[in-house]
Each structure stands twice: as C-alpha cells, then as structure tokens.
Amino acid sequence: MHFRKTVPAITLGVVSLTAPLLATGTSTAATETTRATAIGATGADSSRVEEARLTDRAGKPSGTLSAEAASRSGKVFSTGEITGERFSSLGLSWKKESAVDSGLTAEARIHRDGAWESWREVPLELEEGVAEEAKRAGAPAFYTDDADGVEVRFTAPKGSLPQDLRLSFIDPAKSPASAAPDRQRRSAQPAVQPVQPVVKLRQDWGADESLADPGYKTQPSLKAALVHHTVTGNNSYSQQQVPQIINGIYVHHITVLGYGDFPYHFVVDRFGGIWEGRKGSIQMRPSTSIPGILGGHATGFNTNTFGVAALGNFEPDNSDGGENTGPDPKPSQAMNKSLADLLAWKVGQYQLNPQGSTQLVSAGGGGTNPHPAGKALTVPVISSHRDVNVTACPGGKLYETLPALRQQVADRLG
C-alpha cells in the first residue's frame, strides 16, 4: 500500500516493504518512512497491513498526528488527510500496559470514489479489556469497505493519549473461496449427534493460515457459551462484504494486536450465515483429540467457554461507534435463527442445559474483569460477554433477546 503521507518506520516482525507516504491537508511535517507489511497468503493475493505511529512511547503526538485545537470536550488531535491505495478496514492499537483516558473518543472520515464522507465515531471499546494472549491493546477492526483515504481525530478530555498509539490500514487477502460466499460445508460427525447447521469454513472467508499459531489451543471441555457483537462499524453490510469483514477482524487481531488466532469461535452474520472463526471450532467435541478450543474473547473467562459473535453493533443509538444504529438495532430473524441453531449444536454436543446455570472460575487479568483470579462466578449456560466482564457487549438489543434464545435452543434439543 502506498499512502500520501510520511510516517515513522514500524517493524512487525514479518516481511516488510518500504513505501513512501505524503501528507495532504495537515500541518504536521513528518519526514520518516513507513513499512507496508506484505503478508504471504494462501489465496489469490496477500494480506497487507501498513501502520502509522501516532504517539511515541510516552504518549506524545508524533509522525502524522498533531494537536489541532482545544474544545469544551477536551484536547483535539488530528492525523490530517491521508490518501493512497485501497484498504477495507482500519485498526487502532496502543501499548498493552498504557493508561488510557476513559473519556477518549475517536472519529474518522473516509475517502472513497473521489470524495470525503461525513465524520463517524470509531469504536474504541475501552471497556473491553485486553485478552490474555494479546500483545497490544486496541479497538475492534473498523470496516470501511473499499476506501483510499482517511482522516482521524481524537478528543481527549484529560489531554492525554495512549502510549505508542498506531493507526493501521488493513487490506485482507482475497481468495477464490471468499469470492463465493454461498459455499457452505458440514464437517463429518458421528451418526448420533445434535444436528449441525451449515457452517462456512475459514477458507471460505479467505483465512491465511500462515498467520495464525500452528496447531490448536485446546482445553479440557466447555461449560458455557458467551455471546458477543463485533462492533465493526457497519450494520448494513451486504452479503458479499461478509468474508472481507471477517478477514479484516482476523488480520487486525493477529498482525496489529498480537493474538494467536481469530478471537471468537464462530461468527453469525445478518443473513444467517454461520462462519468458523478460531481454528478447530467445528471439530471440537467431548472425548476426542480436540475436547475444546481455547478462545480469546473474554478476559479471564476464556477457559471452559466458547465465543459466538454476531456481526454488527447492537447497542442502541450508536454508543459503541461506527454506523448510526438508531434506538432499536435488533438482530435479524435470520441471525436469531442461526444463533439458535449454532448454540443448540454445540450445547447439545457437551450435554449442557441451555436454560440452566454453570460455574466459571476467573483467571484474573484485571481491567474490565472485576473478578480476581480464583473467584467462582455462577452464570447462565448461554451467557454474554457482559455477564463476566464490565462491557456493553453484546449490545443492549441483542442482550435482551437472550432469554428467548435460550428457549429456542431448548426447543431444538427437545
């Protein structure tokens, strides 16, 4: 990727190509170069991530970022306009141990088709915490579709920014599979088994398997399902865009945030498509070589749980950022049906009571996990992220459907 702005060099520990960036519409005169990361993919092209460092290790603006003004809400910092080659998602990340102003907000305006769009809030999800396996803290991947420029501005009530704050331009690899979203698979399973819904494989959204940790991260068993939403900035995505959005989440979490693999076990889109997220999630079942897969979706409570993420933002009135959700962003009927089908399949495999409760033990981690290591927590078998961490996830309008979802799962299991 080549963007018209110069930013500091960043090394990600993977193959890099130096690319010049030139500034437009900014008062910052940055003179260093960036490294555009070209990541080998198994598909028709390669995933690419290019990063601009916005603050130094002390949290002071550097490179493309400069103080723009002071407002009643706090100090405002802007990257200025950055334009160049196409990307489909943006990422924001910072030093894992960095203190972050709880009132910090971010906005972006996207450049596409020769014009600048209106400003949109970028979800920082500061209450989400940091997964144990992550090497950096950060916001969810923000889906932009095919864009070729961006300007980002931050408002910091206390005037402080995170340490080593970076802006990432993500262009995930495409593959023949991701170009055909109607490809669907079922895995082989014993004759006596809860009914498996149609699940699309990692190759169907174009996963570059060379990025993820090799092998499986297994765990002894599963006791609960945790429902999430992805907050990827767009609730009105098309069916054709789904593989690209999922792939952007994958590339962002691995190359920017330092995860070992996709954070959630499964993703369900608004059209009812069910997608395998973390490697091995389809195959995991009791009394096999893969009795459970350890995810990266809930700080302190990844053990004994699996994560199912609804693609979109279900918090009313856009409080998590991105596209304006309005007062009633309910999941679609197709999404609800597929969530119930998926949960019935996995809950049934592990012989769990979908309307019962179970006990989980916190692994600690602090931040948004208020439960110290070793503390036992009783939660519903079908729970959500907010039931174990301090977070708005999975959004108020999805959270209120959980009682009905538990009943639907129970009905499917007879």
Side-chain angles (χ1 to χ4, degrees), residues 7 10 37 40 55 59 87 137 139 157-158 180 187 197 200 242 253 263-264 285 289 304 327 362 381 390:
V7 297
I10 294 175
T37 306
T55 67
F87 55 91
K158 298 179 182 178
S187 64
K200 302 180 186 183
V242 171
H253 274 79
Y264 314 106
R285 56 177 55 87
S289 60
N304 295 135
S362 173
V381 166
V390 179

Side-chain angles (χ1 to χ4, degrees), residues 4-342:
R4 290 187 290 277
K5 185 164 235 177
T6 51
V7 297
I10 294 175
T11 302
L12 294 178
V14 288
V15 178
S16 297
L17 302 174
T18 302
L21 304 177
L22 302 175
T24 61
T26 178
S27 59
T28 305
T31 57
E32 299 178 80
T33 60
T34 190
R35 294 189 182 274
T37 306
I39 307 166
T42 56
D45 62 1
S46 60
S47 299
R48 294 183 296 175
V49 177
E50 184 170 317
E51 291 191 321
R53 179 170 284 141
L54 303 183
T55 67
D56 61 21
R57 294 180 180 178
K60 303 297 183 183
S62 66
T64 66
L65 193 68
S66 62
E68 186 178 68
S71 71
R72 295 174 59 184
S73 301
K75 198 168 185 178
V76 179
F77 302 86
S78 175
T79 63
E81 298 174 356
I82 306 173
T83 59
E85 291 188 10
R86 67 171 294 280
F87 55 91
S88 65
S89 291
L90 291 171
L92 287 168
S93 66
W94 50 87
K95 183 180 177 182
K96 189 172 182 178
E97 301 80 13
S98 175
V100 182
D101 185 342
S102 61
L104 182 69
T105 60
E107 296 175 291
R109 61 183 185 129
I110 306 301
H111 187 271
R112 79 172 95 247
D113 300 327
W116 289 95
E117 298 181 355
S118 59
W119 288 94
R120 291 194 290 162
E121 184 182 353
V122 177
L124 296 181
E125 289 287 270
L126 298 178
E127 79 277 15
E128 287 292 308
V130 183
E132 296 94 319
E133 69 181 86
K135 295 179 176 62
R136 287 176 59 78
F142 185 75
Y143 184 65
T144 63
D145 198 3
D146 290 329
D148 60 9
V150 69
E151 181 177 6
V152 182
R153 64 189 182 196
F154 301 88
T155 301
K158 298 179 182 178
S160 61
L161 294 169
Q163 297 170 298
D164 194 14
L165 174 64
R166 303 178 191 180
L167 171 64
S168 302
F169 301 89
I170 303 166
D171 185 22
K174 293 184 178 66
S175 73
S178 66
D182 58 340
R183 287 166 46 106
Q184 299 176 332
R185 306 283 184 83
R186 292 179 188 269
S187 64
Q189 55 186 329
V192 179
Q193 194 72 266
V195 176
Q196 177 187 334
V198 173
V199 181
K200 302 180 186 183
L201 306 184
R202 287 161 64 93
Q203 69 189 64
D204 294 317
W205 49 261
D208 176 2
E209 297 295 359
S210 69
L211 299 183
D213 289 344
Y216 300 119
K217 293 184 176 181
T218 61
Q219 57 175 327
S221 188
L222 300 178
K223 299 171 65 176
L226 300 183
V227 178
H228 302 255
H229 65 170
T230 59
V231 198
T232 35
N234 186 344
N235 278 10
S236 58
Y237 52 83
S238 69
Q239 196 163 12
Q240 289 69 35
Q241 290 172 331
V242 171
Q244 188 180 50
I245 298 173
I246 296 174
N247 206 350
I249 296 171
Y250 175 69
V251 173
H252 173 64
H253 274 79
I254 292 179
T255 65
V256 177
L257 301 181
Y259 281 60
D261 199 351
F262 200 88
Y264 314 106
H265 294 79
F266 298 97
V267 177
V268 179
D269 65 49
R270 72 187 184 99
F271 305 98
I274 303 173
W275 305 77
E276 180 185 25
R278 184 154 289 214
K279 186 182 350 179
S281 298
I282 293 177
Q283 292 84 0
M284 66 179 183
R285 56 177 55 87
S287 304
T288 68
S289 60
I290 310 177
I293 293 292
L294 185 67
H297 56 100
T299 304
F301 289 93
N302 288 310
T303 300
N304 295 135
T305 67
F306 69 101
V308 177
L311 194 65
N313 178 1
F314 301 97
E315 186 66 13
D317 300 317
N318 198 28
S319 62
D320 278 336
E323 185 177 81
N324 187 359
T325 59
D328 198 25
K330 291 182 178 179
S332 67
Q333 290 185 351
M335 176 179 280
N336 279 331
K337 179 183 181 302
S338 291
L339 283 170
D341 291 343
L342 171 62

